[in-house]
Amino acid sequence: MPAGSNDQHPTATSPPLKQPASVHRAVIYSACAPGWGDIYVGSRFKGYATLSVFLICAAWATWSMALTAKAVVGQFFDSLEGITPFVMPDLPAVELAISVAGIYFTWLWGMLSAADTASAQRRKTGVSAQASVGWAVAMSWFCPGSGLVYAEDRRLGFMIFGAYILGFLLIVPAYQQLFLGLHELVKSGQLSPNNPFAVIGFVHGLIVRLDYSFGKIFQESTKCFAVAASLAALKQGPLAADKKWLTPTPGYGIALLGLGWLCPGSGQLLQGRNRIGWGFLAGYCGSRFLIVPLLGEGFIGVETADQLAWLAVIVQWSSMIEAPVAMVMGKRSGSH
């Protein structure tokens, strides 16, 4: 190049960095359409596979419901016209149950997978993990395990998710007992419309036994543990230096009340007071599990079970009140 020339060689510039995936957005996308969150992050194969399974289950459920409606309505009108007496036709109950369960399980898996894929992508690109208490609680409540994946505890998150799915299998015998009980009552004529209070009493007893079945309590306890473990993981990780949950503030005080109602002990865990937080959660779940064998083996009746249920309520309200009181008193995590 001649001396004095103003021409300059163009300098090579690095391409703009790809914007890191948002775990929040990925989970929302998958909640709207399972698989969409994975596609958004870039895992197209996993996303389209999840979406395909969801659509297949949805189509199967729609077809099963159409067959059910056709059979019931046809039999009903035939009985009105006097062609045949009304007899409940054979219904595709198993197919309908499997397809609906497939829809729900695929929906749960879509959110968990989206959270996992987005979190892995952020780690790979060296971007710090997102840490929102509200998002962790919401994700853990609607899809137990996803909040722990969000809080960077992937292994425990998948274990909790598996335990929650197992709860559905454990609760099946309780629903079978409920429907068999109703069938026996109808067959014996005890469910007479002339005695509505007796009907209410019978149905209430069956529902209480369902609510305090092992599978039901196991599933609810798994959900509470998922919320508590997610908040504990956040507190031990990215929110370790966060002191706002021990600083008297009306907004955070109301949030602590809500957390205590949703999952006893979770507010204390956010404050870094692990011992009392896990103690509240153990007391709440333990008081509910206590009723399961007592009612199931016939040691207590339905009325006594209703009375013992107040133990869990007392623990719940104690947790709700204690966390804001600790905030007002200015306790610090190091004191427990």
Side-chain angles (χ1 to χ4, degrees):
M1 179 181 297
S5 173
N6 292 328
D7 294 337
Q8 297 180 355
H9 292 288
T11 57
T13 58
S14 59
L17 295 176
K18 182 180 179 181
Q19 185 177 4
S22 168
V23 181
H24 306 160
R25 185 174 297 180
V27 171
I28 287 294
Y29 286 167
S30 282
C32 296
W36 188 10
D38 286 304
I39 297 172
Y40 153 73
V41 177
S43 182
R44 294 180 178 273
F45 177 78
K46 186 192 297 185
Y48 283 118
T50 303
L51 182 60
S52 298
V53 173
F54 178 78
L55 293 177
I56 291 172
C57 291
W60 189 11
T62 303
W63 178 252
S64 299
M65 286 188 288
L67 293 178
T68 300
K70 179 181 178 181
V72 173
V73 172
Q75 186 70 23
F76 176 73
F77 280 105
D78 288 345
S79 65
L80 289 180
E81 295 174 1
I83 300 175
T84 58
F86 182 80
V87 178
M88 184 61 69
D90 292 333
L91 302 176
V94 176
E95 292 82 355
L96 183 60
I98 294 176
S99 58
V100 172
I103 291 174
Y104 183 60
F105 293 158
T106 308
W107 182 69
L108 291 177
W109 169 254
M111 289 188 287
L112 179 72
S113 177
D116 183 44
T117 306
S119 298
Q121 196 252 24
R122 293 180 70 89
R123 287 193 301 269
K124 185 177 180 180
T125 55
V127 181
S128 60
Q130 294 173 285
S132 167
V133 171
W135 276 98
V137 171
M139 291 166 63
S140 296
W141 189 257
F142 289 105
C143 179
S146 61
L148 279 161
V149 173
Y150 172 73
E152 299 295 321
D153 196 342
R154 185 173 183 267
R155 178 180 300 179
L156 183 57
F158 276 88
M159 291 174 61
I160 292 297
F161 180 78
Y164 186 71
I165 297 300
L166 177 62
F168 285 100
L169 301 178
L170 296 176
I171 205 174
V172 169
Y175 278 105
Q176 289 179 336
Q177 184 178 3
L178 173 65
F179 291 125
L180 287 176
L182 290 174
H183 177 72
E184 290 297 329
L185 290 175
V186 172
K187 187 176 180 180
S188 63
Q190 297 183 55
L191 285 181
S192 173
N194 297 326
N195 191 356
F197 292 104
V199 174
I200 295 174
F202 285 132
V203 174
H204 173 70
L206 292 174
I207 292 177
V208 169
R209 293 184 182 279
L210 173 64
D211 289 339
Y212 288 100
S213 62
F214 177 79
K216 187 79 169 180
I217 300 299
F218 176 82
Q219 196 173 49
E220 293 177 355
S221 299
T222 301
K223 181 178 289 189
C224 287
F225 180 80
V227 173
S230 299
L231 296 182
L234 286 179
K235 184 60 180 176
Q236 294 172 4
L239 300 182
D242 190 1
K243 300 296 183 182
K244 62 175 175 286
W245 297 98
L246 279 169
T247 304
T249 307
Y252 288 112
I254 295 174
L256 287 174
L257 284 173
L259 287 173
W261 174 81
L262 188 69
C263 173
S266 57
Q268 287 78 6
L269 292 173
L270 260 183
Q271 294 174 330
R273 303 160 60 229
N274 294 333
R275 183 179 302 176
I276 191 171
W278 289 116
F280 272 124
L281 181 62
Y284 177 76
C285 295
S287 61
R288 292 173 63 81
F289 269 113
L290 175 65
I291 303 176
V292 174
L294 296 178
L295 182 62
E297 298 298 329
F299 294 109
I300 61 174
V302 173
E303 294 183 359
T304 306
D306 284 335
Q307 295 173 357
L308 289 177
W310 281 98
L311 293 175
V313 176
I314 292 173
V315 175
Q316 183 183 38
W317 278 88
S318 299
S319 173
M320 292 172 59
I321 296 172
E322 197 277 341
V325 169
M327 170 188 281
V328 173
M329 294 177 63
K331 291 185 178 180
R332 293 297 183 263
S333 59
S335 63
H336 288 267

